[in-house]
Amino acid sequence: MFFYLSGMKTTLLFLSVFLSANLFGQNVYIPDANFKAYLVGNPEINTNEDTEIQNGEALNYYGNIDCSGLNISDLTGIEAFTALIELNCRFNQLTSLDLSQNTALTELDCRYNQLTSLDLSQNIALTNLYCGSNNAMISLDVSQNNALTTLDCDELNITSLDVSQNTALTNLECIATSITSLDVSQNTALEYLNCSESFLTCLNVRNGNNENLVLINEENQVVLSCIQVDNVMQAEDFVENLQWVVSNEEVNSPISFSEDCGTVCSGCAPTSAIDIQVACDSYTWIDGNTYTSSNNSATFLTTNSAGCDSIITLDLTINTPSIGTDVQEIC
């Protein structure tokens, strides 16, 4: 019995080693000929210098893959490079990019492709992201990338960008996007912001670190009437000394600074309501005024449950008392 078990253990151990070696030596599936040619032609990756990339070669590669400008349309096979640190795949024909297995990635440059979406939720080590000039991309979620320090999302067809979780961010470029509101008040480390050629109606840069911020906002496509800042006099001085370049050249409209731009930068959508009241003789409304005649034009500004402006309009009907005589005769 003892020798039988020992023999079985030896057999299982041999089988395990055989399967591991077999799996380790299997070829990575790389359907795009241009991408495969790049990998096979890189001696740091293709260490045995054959015509394939084995799983072991991919798993053991810790460096940088720069396959930019090679007319690649499919990056399948990149998932095998689980220790990959940097990826540069710009100037290609990519319509999708799956990097969910590349969790060690710290830098990604995928600019000038045809990407429609980009899921980076598993790439929490990412510090530098360059994803601009993917004109088909309509949304970008970087809420999981808390280590991000540099973000380039120029020329994306996005209408919003939430960077409130990216507190390590130092450089942000969102030139020529359709973003209407940008709030960097949580980005206290921010040193450079360029949101030129945008559709901004709100820009909140009150992050407590304006003195170290270089702000560029030129040729704004719509009227950006107010920029929320740490200190108005300081902001005006930055403009005078060209630390901040701020203009509405397209619409020739001045931009003002304020420490509180109100609802313009609150992120709130104002609501409205009508208060219908019927009273006799007179009525004292929520505005503190007493009305003795009907009124449908009085308004009162308050805040709703979300803390946003709510405008209430009074629709009041005042009825006048009636007077009559009741004549009665009795025995």
Side-chain angles (χ1 to χ4, degrees):
M1 180 66 72
F2 173 77
F3 290 103
Y4 174 75
L5 287 175
S6 177
M8 180 179 289
K9 288 179 181 178
T10 302
T11 302
L12 290 175
L13 177 61
F14 172 77
L15 182 60
S16 175
V17 171
F18 173 78
L19 290 175
S20 297
N22 188 49
L23 182 62
F24 198 74
Q26 284 183 346
N27 296 332
V28 178
Y29 175 59
I30 310 169
D32 190 285
N34 293 330
F35 184 40
K36 184 174 183 178
Y38 163 78
L39 295 175
V40 170
N42 188 332
E44 293 184 2
I45 298 175
N46 187 18
T47 54
N48 63 5
E49 299 182 354
D50 64 359
T51 59
E52 300 289 342
I53 300 297
Q54 282 74 46
N55 281 323
E57 291 174 320
L59 287 170
N60 287 326
Y61 184 66
Y62 294 85
N64 168 45
I65 287 181
D66 185 349
C67 56
S68 56
L70 296 179
N71 199 32
I72 297 171
S73 59
D74 188 350
L75 222 61
T76 296
I78 195 67
E79 65 276 3
F81 293 83
T82 55
L84 186 66
I85 301 298
E86 298 179 9
L87 172 62
N88 184 348
C89 55
R90 62 182 177 178
F91 290 108
N92 281 297
Q93 305 299 319
L94 299 173
T95 57
S96 63
L97 184 58
D98 183 358
L99 300 173
S100 58
Q101 302 303 309
N102 309 99
T103 55
L105 202 64
T106 61
E107 181 167 323
L108 170 64
D109 189 344
C110 57
R111 290 174 292 180
Y112 299 98
N113 277 284
Q114 300 170 25
L115 298 174
T116 57
S117 62
L118 189 59
D119 184 355
L120 300 170
S121 58
Q122 303 303 310
N123 309 102
I124 59 176
L126 200 64
T127 58
N128 300 305
L129 172 60
Y130 308 91
C131 59
S133 301
N134 282 280
N135 297 328
M137 192 180 299
I138 59 175
S139 65
L140 178 64
D141 184 356
V142 290
S143 60
Q144 303 302 312
N145 311 107
N146 298 341
L148 206 62
T149 59
T150 299
L151 173 58
D152 175 353
C153 54
D154 295 342
E155 299 179 358
L156 299 186
N157 195 26
I158 56 176
T159 57
S160 63
L161 179 65
D162 184 358
V163 290
S164 60
Q165 303 303 310
N166 311 108
T167 54
L169 198 65
T170 58
N171 295 275
L172 173 59
E173 280 199 15
C174 49
I175 302 171
T177 67
S178 298
I179 295 173
T180 58
S181 178
L182 183 61
D183 186 345
V184 295
S185 60
Q186 302 303 308
N187 309 101
T188 56
L190 198 64
E191 298 175 357
Y192 178 79
L193 170 61
N194 192 337
C195 48
S196 300
E197 302 176 45
S198 63
F199 288 82
L200 289 175
T201 57
C202 166
L203 177 58
N204 185 353
V205 295
R206 189 176 182 182
N207 64 355
N209 192 36
N210 282 180
E211 60 185 12
N212 295 317
L213 175 65
V214 173
L215 169 63
I216 301 175
N217 180 75
E218 295 183 289
E219 300 180 8
N220 198 58
Q221 303 298 321
V222 295
V223 178
L224 176 62
S225 60
C226 181
I227 298 179
Q228 194 155 308
V229 297
D230 290 342
N231 182 284
V232 173
M233 293 183 63
Q234 184 187 55
E236 292 173 346
D237 185 59
F238 291 160
V239 172
E240 185 177 346
N241 291 285
L242 301 180
Q243 179 176 338
W244 288 7
V245 180
V246 178
S247 64
N248 267 343
E249 294 182 9
E250 289 294 310
V251 292
N252 193 28
S253 176
I255 297 177
S256 64
F257 298 108
S258 174
E259 294 171 24
D260 184 3
C261 290
T263 56
V264 175
C265 270
S266 67
C268 284
T271 58
S272 61
I274 297 176
D275 184 14
I276 301 175
Q277 298 289 344
V278 178
C280 183
D281 252 346
S282 65
Y283 180 76
T284 302
W285 197 38
I286 55 176
D287 60 358
N289 295 322
T290 299
Y291 297 89
T292 57
S293 60
S294 298
N295 189 301
N296 61 4
S297 61
T299 59
F300 182 73
L301 181 63
T302 183
T303 55
N304 57 27
S305 58
C308 303
D309 283 352
S310 180
I311 301 174
I312 302 176
T313 301
L314 176 63
D315 185 354
L316 173 64
T317 300
I318 293 291
N319 293 323
T320 57
S322 58
I323 301 175
T325 303
D326 185 12
V327 179
Q328 301 288 341
E329 292 183 3
I330 61 172
C331 291

